[in-house]
Amino acid sequence: MKIRSYELFQVPPRWLFLKIETDEGIVGWGEPVIEGRASTVKACVEELMEYLIDKDPLRIEDHWSMLYRSGFYRGGPILMSAISGIDQALWDIKGKYYNAPVYQLLGGACRDSIKVYSWIGGDRPSEVGHAAKMVADAGFTAVKMNATEELQYVDSYEKIDQVIERIAAVREAAGNYIGIGIDFHGRVHKPMAKILAKELEPFRPMFIEEPVLSENLEALRDIANHTTIPIATGERMFSRWDFKSLLADGYVDIIQPDLSHAGGITECKKIASMAEAYDVALAPHCPLGPIALASCLQVDATAYNAFIQEQSLGIHYNQGSDLLDYIKDASVFDYKDGYVSIPQGPGLGIEIDEEFVRKQAEVGHNWKNPVWRHKDGSIAEW
Ligand SMILES: [Mg+2]
């Protein structure tokens, strides 16, 4: 079998889909995108695919190594997201070739489903309590929200009080035992992160996420020493080598590699195993589309330390084109009691609605993240 051709589809809300075709008629789908840089990743995929035409799609490990190691310069969000989508598509082809779900080819499942959390906002917060109640009523047992709006290096306790009010509203609306992931979104700097972590502790969050940016990971030591709340990070880390010192330093409890950013299924399975050896949990980042989610679930099925999965159903980014719109049979994910099933079909286990993809690609998108500024005019982290 040989790779014959490929196509890229830039589709709303902010995604990029890759379809790889083989000379045997088997096709594979991947989702190579970094949010806000879809066109740049598209150009990178086009460059990388030059090598793959006429190659055997089943030699995934070799192709991964070639794409990663033979470019001299390596790593980073653009290249690794491009490799990620290609890798997902190759696994989809491999699964279809052997008529098996990808998880079977990765060693077989250690779970049948996985807990998921639902996004409830918090960016420009007003109604988070109400949103939490709606999500809990829909059966979810865990939610995630942003902690704060923009926050200066050292900011006021008024902002801290506002954070506390919002978390208290979620607890009050959704009960003592709903899991609450609180995303600092890299918008908090070390001085305020320490204060926030301490103040949030009485609300017993499930985790705090990106308490500082991943370029400031040394600050995790101070934060970890200030709190018992589990610390999660990793959506802006792109390979085994990015995760290596994070794990060895020992201040992280949950890693969140993104299957569309951190080298795809091949790389994230390895990152998951590295984390397991440090007794660190896995919760893949996935505010993206159905191909990325299906890829995550295939790895979750085989990663013993996976405990929860992010997914984007109903997330604010998806208004107008949601997660399940692009697949023919939405029941493969089988949302039930806050859990999602591991898809059982061959490959990634989803069937892409290609007609809809083509229609939406004509609409396209040019999604960019918001730009925030502090009151003094300086750029704020979003
Ligand atoms: Mg996050």
Side-chain angles (χ1 to χ4, degrees), residues 55-333:
K55 300 292 189 304
D56 176 358
L58 302 180
R59 289 177 58 84
I60 296 175
E61 190 71 31
D62 184 51
H63 297 327
W64 198 99
S65 300
M66 163 69 201
L67 299 178
Y68 180 80
R69 293 181 186 275
S70 295
F72 192 77
Y73 298 101
R74 56 196 63 178
I78 304 301
L79 175 66
M80 297 310 290
S81 298
I83 292 177
S84 299
I86 293 170
D87 181 84
Q88 293 166 2
L90 295 180
W91 276 105
D92 196 25
I93 290 169
K94 187 189 276 281
K96 288 168 180 167
Y97 181 79
Y98 289 108
N99 194 29
V102 168
Y103 73 79
Q104 289 290 12
L105 305 173
L106 293 173
C110 65
R111 61 174 53 79
D112 306 312
S113 62
I114 188 160
K115 189 196 277 197
V116 290
Y117 59 80
S118 190
W119 177 255
I120 56 165
D123 240 7
R124 294 292 186 203
S126 50
E127 295 274 299
V128 281
H130 178 67
K133 177 84 170 62
M134 300 248 294
V135 162
D137 288 347
F140 287 96
T141 58
V143 297
K144 194 167 88 180
M145 59 188 287
N146 277 333
T148 72
E149 304 174 80
E150 63 272 22
L151 209 62
Q152 262 291 6
Y153 273 82
V154 175
D155 213 315
S156 73
Y157 279 90
E158 188 183 359
K159 288 229 178 134
I160 299 282
D161 286 345
Q162 288 165 355
V163 176
I164 299 306
E165 263 173 47
R166 291 196 286 271
I167 309 296
V170 173
R171 271 276 167 261
E172 196 177 324
N176 283 339
Y177 300 114
I178 192 159
I180 307 176
I182 304 174
D183 194 349
F184 286 23
H185 219 255
R187 66 179 63 144
V188 185
H189 296 275
K190 186 169 93 162
M192 300 307 284
K194 287 195 296 185
I195 297 170
L196 265 180
K198 201 179 177 101
E199 297 263 353
L200 288 171
E201 210 168 88
F203 295 95
R204 303 199 287 184
M206 179 167 62
F207 56 76
I208 53 174
E209 174 172 321
E210 282 196 318
V212 289
L213 284 164
S214 45
E215 53 258 47
N216 297 327
L217 286 179
E218 66 287 337
L220 288 186
R221 181 186 56 223
D222 277 357
I223 297 162
N225 286 335
H226 271 80
T227 185
T228 56
I229 305 172
I231 292 175
T233 195
E235 70 189 65
R236 288 185 251 199
M237 301 173 76
F238 307 105
S239 70
R240 276 165 277 173
W241 296 280
D242 285 357
F243 280 93
K244 182 166 66 169
S245 57
L246 173 71
L247 293 167
D249 288 348
Y251 301 112
V252 70
D253 303 291
I254 300 154
I255 58 159
Q256 302 170 301
D258 187 307
L259 275 275
S260 280
H261 304 337
I265 290 170
T266 301
E267 186 68 356
C268 288
K269 171 67 178 162
K270 292 172 184 176
I271 292 168
S273 296
M274 283 169 61
E276 186 184 351
Y278 286 96
D279 212 17
V280 166
L282 175 73
H285 181 251
C286 192
L288 296 172
I291 307 168
L293 178 61
S295 300
C296 288
L297 294 171
Q298 297 294 336
V299 169
D300 292 334
T302 70
Y304 178 75
N305 50 337
F307 82 106
I308 201 163
Q309 176 61 54
E310 181 170 28
Q311 52 79 44
S312 73
L313 189 63
I315 201 169
H316 54 303
Y317 303 118
N318 291 5
Q319 276 175 7
S321 325
D322 210 342
L323 178 72
L324 304 175
D325 296 345
Y326 287 92
I327 57 176
K328 280 194 171 159
D329 178 8
S331 74
V332 293
F333 293 131

